[in-house]
Amino acid sequence: MLKVNCKPVELNKFPDGTFLIKEKPSGDRALISWKFENNEELVALIYITHHLRAHGVKTIHLFMPYIPNARQDRVKTDEDVFTLKYFAWVVNSLKFDKVSVLDPHSSVSEALIERIEIMSPAYFINAVYNRVCKECSCGENDVLMFYPDEGAMKRYSGMISAPYAFGIKERDWATGKIKGLSVFEGENSVKGKNILIVDDISSRGGTFYHSAKKLKELGAEKVFLYVTHCENTILEGEVLSSGLIEKVYTTDSLLTTTHEKIEVMEL
């Protein structure tokens, strides 16, 4: 969804499928908010931005909490299209005065997008942590943070003062699929603890299913999940249907569907 100064932009179409957009500029400053739903919106973003500039809007701030193409942040063969790089080129060509993003998937995104402002997810993580403590009627020492890999541990462990453990994924490198997950406990024990898993993005949630499965095997009590960006495809995986995870918390940066086990926090 695209908004200009908090007002949704209607993306109507002509019979040939091209856009019919109406947007009345006002003032010399504008905030464009883009919560990604589909690739067509990038074309609309280009049109709207040029339209605003043509009508005297000098300062334009893009609020884009989820970075489209963020997963394609590297290429391994000549046939791999570096979509994130070329997406960043398009965004940079629009010369926004500031591009605000939330919890980017990798440092590659941060490097490629010019005039980027990175918003921390610390507020949401701490809010969810407090909700988990309240829901489980337990103290802070009874809730253990779990980060699915070392990268997530390095990114998030400093955002919240709580004991934690992290995982080591076991992949089938031929297919890229996760076969399982082992837990590096450090000085914290999983047994008898309520767990809050934290990461940046979920598609079908294979990583979180295997995390919850292993944590339960190690004697964890209730398991909860926070992801900053949640794709609608989470409904297709085992995260919600397995019964291993009590509730999923996410922001409204990406998810457009609803489920009784998903709680969405507004940005």
Side-chain angles (χ1 to χ4, degrees), residues 1-3 6 33-38 41 63-67 102-103 119 121 123-124 128 131 200-201 226-232 248-258 262-267:
M1 175 183 286
L2 285 163
K3 294 182 180 180
C6 301
S33 174
W34 182 17
K35 292 183 179 178
F36 179 81
E37 293 184 12
N38 58 68
E41 292 170 336
F63 173 63
M64 180 178 64
Y66 172 73
I67 302 175
L102 173 66
D103 199 5
M119 302 163 57
Y123 168 82
F124 298 104
V128 171
R131 291 185 196 185
D200 66 319
I201 186 170
Y226 165 85
V227 286
T228 304
H229 312 291
C230 187
E231 299 177 19
N232 291 336
V248 177
Y249 296 91
T250 188
T251 73
D252 63 352
S253 68
L254 189 56
L255 190 76
T256 58
T257 189
T258 59
I262 300 177
E263 183 171 326
V264 180
M265 297 173 285
E266 291 186 8
L267 292 171

Side-chain angles (χ1 to χ4, degrees), residues 19-260:
F19 280 126
L20 169 60
I21 306 172
K22 294 185 181 294
E23 177 61 39
K24 186 176 181 180
S26 61
D28 61 357
R29 304 174 68 88
L31 168 65
I32 300 177
S33 174
W34 182 17
K35 292 183 179 178
F36 179 81
E37 293 184 12
N38 58 68
N39 281 313
E40 278 193 329
E41 292 170 336
L42 177 58
V43 177
L45 176 67
I46 295 170
Y47 295 161
I48 291 166
T49 303
H50 283 296
H51 171 72
L52 293 175
R53 293 202 187 281
H55 288 79
V57 179
K58 297 177 180 179
T59 302
I60 303 178
H61 173 194
L62 175 64
F63 173 63
M64 180 178 64
Y66 172 73
I67 302 175
N69 302 287
R71 292 182 181 275
Q72 190 65 31
D73 58 1
R74 69 198 70 186
V75 293
K76 295 181 179 179
T77 69
D78 289 343
E79 66 181 9
D80 293 335
V81 179
F82 199 170
T83 53
L84 175 59
K85 179 179 180 180
Y86 305 131
F87 170 79
W89 282 2
V90 173
V91 171
N92 292 340
S93 73
L94 297 173
K95 300 186 183 302
F96 294 110
D97 295 270
K98 182 167 60 176
V99 179
S100 298
V101 303
L102 173 66
D103 199 5
H105 183 60
S106 74
S107 59
V108 179
S109 302
E110 301 173 27
L112 290 174
I113 297 175
E114 298 172 357
R115 293 174 292 281
I116 192 170
E117 175 189 63
I118 299 168
M119 302 163 57
S120 170
Y123 168 82
F124 298 104
I125 294 172
N126 280 275
V128 171
Y129 178 75
N130 291 330
R131 291 185 196 185
V132 169
C133 289
K134 184 176 181 181
E135 183 159 335
C136 295
S137 300
C138 61
E140 294 181 357
N141 292 331
D142 295 316
V143 176
L144 182 72
M145 306 297 292
F146 181 75
Y147 308 111
D149 53 42
E150 190 175 1
M153 181 270 290
K154 291 178 178 177
R155 179 185 300 181
Y156 300 112
S157 60
M159 295 183 186
I160 182 167
S161 178
Y164 65 84
F166 69 91
I168 301 172
K169 298 175 187 176
E170 300 168 8
R171 288 187 182 274
D172 180 341
W173 292 108
T175 63
K177 292 183 177 181
I178 298 171
K179 298 189 297 182
L181 182 142
S182 57
V183 174
F184 183 83
E185 297 181 355
E187 54 187 66
N188 305 301
S189 174
V190 171
K191 187 175 181 179
K193 296 292 181 68
N194 295 297
I195 310 290
L196 174 57
I197 303 172
V198 172
D199 210 348
D200 66 319
I201 186 170
S202 174
S203 52
R204 289 178 177 81
T207 293
F208 310 120
Y209 165 74
H210 286 290
S211 296
K213 184 177 179 182
K214 186 64 177 180
L215 291 165
K216 286 286 191 177
E217 290 173 2
L218 293 174
E221 294 291 333
K222 294 181 178 180
V223 179
F224 301 82
L225 169 63
Y226 165 85
V227 286
T228 304
H229 312 291
C230 187
E231 299 177 19
N232 291 336
T233 49
I234 193 172
L235 272 63
E236 301 172 12
E238 297 177 282
V239 170
L240 301 173
S241 62
S242 65
L244 295 172
I245 293 179
E246 303 289 323
K247 185 176 289 188
V248 177
Y249 296 91
T250 188
T251 73
D252 63 352
S253 68
L254 189 56
L255 190 76
T256 58
T257 189
T258 59
H259 189 280
E260 61 183 3

